[in-house]
Amino acid sequence: MLKYVAEEIASTTMRVTGYPIIITDENGIIIGADKENIQRLNELHEASLEVMASGRQKKHGPEDCLKLKGTYPGITMPIAIHDEVVGSIGIRGDSEEVEKYGMLVKMVAEIMLKDRIEAESAHIRHSNLQMLATMIITYNGDETAKSAIINQGILLGFNLTKPRIPIIVSKSKSAKEGDATRDMYSTKVYRAIKRQFHDRQDIIVVIDAAYEKYLIFAAVEREIGKLTDEVLTAKCKGMQNEILESEKELIHIALSKESSSIPELKASYERAEMLLATTLSGSTDKSIVRIIDVPLERMLIEAADYYNGKSLERRIKAILSDKNAELYEELIITWCESMFNF
């Protein structure tokens, strides 16, 4: 991870100190440098080896540098994450003068590295959650597939036999051009969802970036603090009001049926999609629609036109007009030919 953020650390810390900075990996090889020292990349900085072995910073005068390969006068410090030394940082200049910047530079480097590691960990977890949700909503009834889904849930810390209610949250208008590629887990809609649904067993994923559309598998507690219809509706209303206040845009929310098995969860999700279609198509004046308020027959009738028309047309057009259309086409065909095996 240090390799991917080394150049950024070197540039940032040089702006802070005004002195040339180099970053090395755990082998003492320079992997990051400010623009003026870019030619030193991939060279050995021998002073780093002793510093990383001891875990303590060290000053190097002109005489010391004559004995150390690739080393200039200055100070070298270890970079450690969770008490593990992962590299080093060197400041070039008069050792007495640059020493006063030592702790500041080390702190900045370690904070930047920790932030990058946390961001990468969050990205990996979101990808794994996305995969889990996709496995649930595309479940085909196969027992082996069901076991795989349950095991994937266990690996991510989720008990998929626990009752959950699928909820879909979506904006009515698509994002501006270029916005759909942004990080969907940093939007105001996502933050509003997280403020209302923060149980460790709540699963929250993106299902349509263009419309900032999210799927929540909200965990239901049967004991104290049960997630009743009233409590759930209040959470959704609070989420909607927060977005309306900050972005002046109404979000549409569909709440489906409580389910506690993979087949039920998939079926309940599909009903949530149909519920959402009734509010997006304008066939109901409600922006928060609950399964208990809408008879199934009405849902099917009202959703048919929406899905056969606008939604399908939008999705197909988006695929065919994309620069990677041929790749998507090949991917879809392969997916169908492999019996929808991811």
Side-chain angles (χ1 to χ4, degrees), residues 84-307:
E84 180 184 351
V85 175
V86 295
S88 71
I89 184 165
I91 311 177
R92 181 177 172 181
D94 180 87
S95 58
E96 298 298 329
E97 179 64 27
V98 299
E99 185 180 21
K100 61 186 177 183
Y101 293 106
M103 288 307 297
L104 174 62
V105 169
K106 177 179 168 65
M107 184 175 68
V108 169
E110 290 177 349
I111 288 173
M112 289 178 68
L113 184 55
K114 284 177 183 175
D115 285 347
R116 186 62 61 89
I117 290 172
E118 288 174 5
E120 184 68 17
S121 297
H123 175 73
I124 291 170
R125 180 161 177 80
H126 290 150
S127 296
N128 286 333
L129 282 176
Q130 206 81 31
M131 181 184 295
L132 176 62
T134 301
M135 290 169 76
I136 293 171
I137 66 180
T138 59
Y139 174 63
N140 61 3
D142 181 76
E143 284 299 313
T144 303
K146 183 163 76 172
S147 296
I149 294 170
I150 291 172
N151 289 334
Q152 175 76 358
I154 291 171
L155 287 172
L156 295 173
F158 297 108
N159 175 7
L160 293 179
T161 63
K162 186 182 185 69
R164 285 180 171 80
I165 296 176
I167 303 169
I168 299 178
V169 180
S170 178
K171 285 188 171 183
S172 56
K173 298 177 182 177
S174 63
K176 296 177 182 178
E177 189 176 348
D179 284 356
T181 59
R182 69 198 182 289
D183 179 9
M184 295 303 296
Y185 291 95
S186 63
T187 65
K188 289 181 180 178
V189 174
Y190 178 73
R191 291 198 295 271
I193 292 172
K194 284 294 289 182
R195 273 189 277 276
Q196 297 293 338
F197 296 92
H198 45 72
D199 189 282
R200 289 184 179 180
Q201 289 294 313
D202 290 338
I203 300 171
I204 305 169
V205 298
V206 180
I207 52 176
D208 189 338
Y211 279 71
E212 283 195 39
K213 189 175 175 183
Y214 296 86
L215 168 62
I216 309 163
F217 286 124
V220 178
E221 292 294 345
R222 295 196 179 281
E223 294 81 26
I224 298 172
K226 179 181 176 183
L227 195 61
T228 61
D229 289 334
E230 291 75 19
V231 172
L232 196 57
T233 304
K235 282 176 174 282
C236 291
K237 193 66 181 174
M239 185 166 55
Q240 190 181 63
N241 288 339
E242 183 178 336
I243 297 303
L244 193 59
E245 185 178 342
S246 64
E247 297 204 347
K248 311 301 179 189
E249 185 174 349
L250 187 67
I251 56 171
H252 296 264
I253 305 170
L255 296 86
S256 193
K257 179 184 176 184
E258 179 182 320
S259 308
S260 55
S261 70
I262 303 302
E264 287 179 2
L265 209 51
K266 179 193 176 179
S268 189
Y269 157 75
E270 289 174 343
R271 289 185 180 182
E273 281 281 19
M274 288 189 288
L275 274 171
L276 186 70
T278 65
T279 179
L280 288 176
S281 63
S283 55
T284 175
D285 57 358
K286 293 182 178 179
S287 55
I288 299 178
V289 186
R290 304 181 303 171
I291 191 82
I292 58 175
D293 298 329
V294 183
L296 183 59
E297 293 80 4
R298 178 183 164 194
M299 283 170 51
L300 290 169
I301 293 169
E302 292 180 344
D305 289 341
Y306 178 81
Y307 273 104

